[in-house]
Amino acid sequence: MNSLSSASRWTDGSMRKRVAKRYAAERRFRLFGLAAIALSVAFLAFLLVNMTWKGASGFTRAEVKIALDFPRSDLIVDPAALRGGDAERTLADAGLENVLDQAAVAQFGEGGADLFGGASARELASQLIAEPDLLTRRAELWLPLSSKGDVAAKTDGDPALEQLLAKAEVRRSFNSSFLTSSDATDASVVGVWGALKGSFLTILVTMALAFPIGVLAALYLEEFAARNRWTDMIEVSINNLAAVPSIIFGLLGLAVFLNFMHLPRSAPLVGGLTLALMTMPVIVIAGRNAIKSVPPSIRDAALGVGASKMQVVFHHVLPLALPGILTGTIIGMARALGETAPLLMIGMRAFIASPPQSITEPASVLPVQIFLWSDEVDRGFVEKTSAAIIVLLVFMLLMNGLAIYLRNKFERRW
């Protein structure tokens, strides 16, 4: 009787409704999952397309052809003097920029001098140093425009400059100086090399400190530490530290490394120390989870053939847990590379016009450089800001790609 009653419950109409309801819930769950993924991809695509659209022009510069008659100009310089080490200073002292302005006014009319700026004079000086014979004849040269002229040539800029450019020969070329120069007050001559080098040195210091200390801490807590109240308190503290806002670590770095230890301000050394404090809890947590995932049979087999506890950990457990540890390190380093708030607190927002030569010299980093450029009123900095964001994203992708390669190389399956 009971078996017949049970069979009827599986075949009657109410059971079919319940099964159909479960299938409908499963379909809704799949649709919500797909919608979440599609929304995430759409936001990512919007960000990439928007940044690429705005920043692509930052890697190019507009150039205009100008005729310069050096023998008839006020530039009196012996070509032999340009073969020395102070050639740029010699040209600047001789009034090269004034000669360029006079030639621009003569060719394009009143307001022509606004088409050229510091980048134009620097490029003209480089061409004269490379070819001193230009000083003995009339020449037509391609020179980069000033920041206002560059904006007028690429987008809607100053109407007066647009009218002047309508009468000139203008072309676009790859702006290699954007990748080889450092910060400046003129948007036409700024570059990201100084900030890029500062970011690299800062991340190098962060990695050198956070990775070994974080991995050793994870190994000790998971393999050697006694299970007691103190260990539990340390574990809870590390978990809480991973969620602390980054600006708190900036205040800690300001108080300890600058005010107490008197380390150099705005240096990659202090930036790396501060970011290492912020990254270490993430590496410890990821490292402990990776160590836990190693099968106990690996440890038992090693102990069974006479290995010591230290040999089991460093010869068997650590190599097998390394891919998982590297995953946590990737997440931590990516977060550190994009952080701005803690670096602002330790003074890495200073105007640095030359790239650092060591970890103790003043430097800027890419996120801070982007933050500073985004606050400039000159429209020429708009495209430079987006271009710098593209450089930062490429830098992060390269760093993560290297870490993923190392993780896959050491990954083992059992």
Side-chain angles (χ1 to χ4, degrees):
M1 182 66 183
N2 292 335
S3 61
L4 291 174
S5 173
S6 175
S8 65
R9 287 200 300 272
W10 281 97
T11 56
D12 62 9
S14 61
M15 188 62 199
R16 285 196 295 272
K17 288 181 180 177
R18 286 198 293 271
V19 172
K21 189 175 180 181
R22 292 172 191 170
Y23 288 162
E26 184 177 340
R27 287 194 295 272
R28 284 197 300 274
F29 178 78
R30 289 182 178 179
L31 287 175
F32 289 149
L34 287 174
I37 293 174
L39 189 63
S40 303
V41 172
F43 276 116
L44 180 61
F46 174 77
L47 173 66
L48 294 177
V49 171
N50 191 36
M51 286 298 104
T52 304
W53 179 262
K54 290 183 178 178
S57 60
F59 294 98
T60 64
R61 66 181 184 184
E63 296 179 341
V64 66
K65 182 184 282 186
I66 181 172
L68 291 160
D69 194 351
F70 292 106
R72 295 185 178 180
S73 68
D74 296 334
L75 187 68
I76 302 175
V77 177
D78 185 0
L82 301 184
R83 296 186 175 88
D86 294 331
E88 290 188 6
R89 180 179 293 276
T90 301
L91 289 170
D93 294 341
L96 180 64
E97 196 161 348
N98 293 333
V99 171
L100 178 59
D101 291 343
Q102 293 169 5
V105 172
Q107 181 169 341
F108 302 107
E110 188 179 356
D114 294 336
L115 291 175
F116 300 97
S120 315
R122 185 180 300 178
E123 178 68 22
L124 177 58
S126 299
Q127 295 189 29
L128 290 175
I129 293 171
E131 194 176 353
D133 293 341
L134 289 173
L135 292 172
T136 61
R137 58 186 171 87
R138 182 180 183 277
E140 290 186 342
L141 304 175
W142 287 97
L143 296 179
L145 292 168
S146 63
S147 177
K148 290 183 178 178
D150 193 70
V151 172
K154 293 177 179 177
T155 58
D156 295 332
D158 189 344
L161 293 181
E162 289 184 1
Q163 290 180 359
L164 294 178
L165 289 173
K167 300 182 294 184
E169 290 186 61
V170 183
R171 72 177 185 184
R172 280 198 184 192
S173 64
F174 179 67
N175 187 10
S176 59
S177 64
F178 181 70
L179 299 176
T180 58
S181 302
S182 297
D183 197 8
T185 55
D186 187 352
S188 63
V189 297
V190 297
V192 295
W193 174 240
L196 190 63
K197 193 172 181 181
S199 288
F200 178 75
L201 293 176
T202 303
I203 288 298
L204 204 62
V205 174
T206 304
M207 177 77 82
L209 292 173
F211 184 70
I213 297 176
V215 171
L216 290 176
L219 282 174
Y220 178 78
L221 289 173
E222 197 60 34
E223 298 288 339
F224 297 100
R227 298 300 171 191
N228 53 35
R229 186 172 53 186
W230 293 105
T231 306
D232 294 339
M233 189 173 68
I234 291 173
E235 292 177 358
V236 171
S237 300
I238 291 174
N239 293 335
N240 289 332
L241 281 174
V244 169
S246 59
I247 196 168
I248 304 300
F249 289 101
L251 292 171
L252 180 64
L254 174 65
V256 176
F257 302 130
L258 295 183
N259 295 339
F260 179 72
M261 300 177 68
H262 301 292
L263 293 176
R265 182 179 290 273
S266 305
L269 175 63
V270 179
L273 287 169
T274 305
L275 294 180
L277 292 176
M278 187 190 71
T279 309
M280 215 177 303
V282 178
I283 297 178
V284 173
I285 294 171
R288 293 191 64 189
N289 290 331
I291 293 168
K292 283 180 184 176
S293 66
V294 176
S297 58
I298 301 292
R299 298 177 178 83
D300 296 338
L303 291 172
V305 296
S308 66
K309 180 68 174 176
M310 191 75 75
Q311 289 174 322
V312 171
V313 171
F314 285 97
H315 294 181
H316 301 279
V317 175
L318 181 59
L320 293 173
L322 198 56
I325 296 174
L326 287 175
T327 302
T329 304
I330 292 169
I331 298 172
M333 289 297 115
R335 181 190 174 196
L337 184 60
E339 280 295 341
T340 305
L343 301 180
L344 291 176
M345 297 303 300
I346 60 170
M348 295 194 79
R349 59 170 302 165
F351 177 78
I352 309 295
S354 58
Q357 302 301 321
S358 68
I359 59 174
T360 56
E361 290 189 3
S364 183
V365 290
L366 274 174
V368 176
Q369 192 71 81
I370 292 168
F371 170 74
L372 295 177
W373 285 356
S374 66
D375 203 31
E376 294 285 347
V377 294
D378 189 343
R379 289 183 58 188
F381 280 99
V382 175
E383 63 178 19
K384 296 297 189 297
T385 303
S386 299
I389 293 173
I390 293 175
V391 173
L392 176 61
L393 292 177
V394 171
F395 186 29
M396 292 179 67
L397 288 175
L398 290 176
M399 193 182 73
N400 289 345
L402 176 63
I404 291 171
Y405 167 76
L406 294 175
R407 183 191 65 187
N408 293 336
K409 183 178 180 181
F410 293 111
E411 188 174 13
R412 296 181 184 178
R413 299 182 184 277
W414 55 77

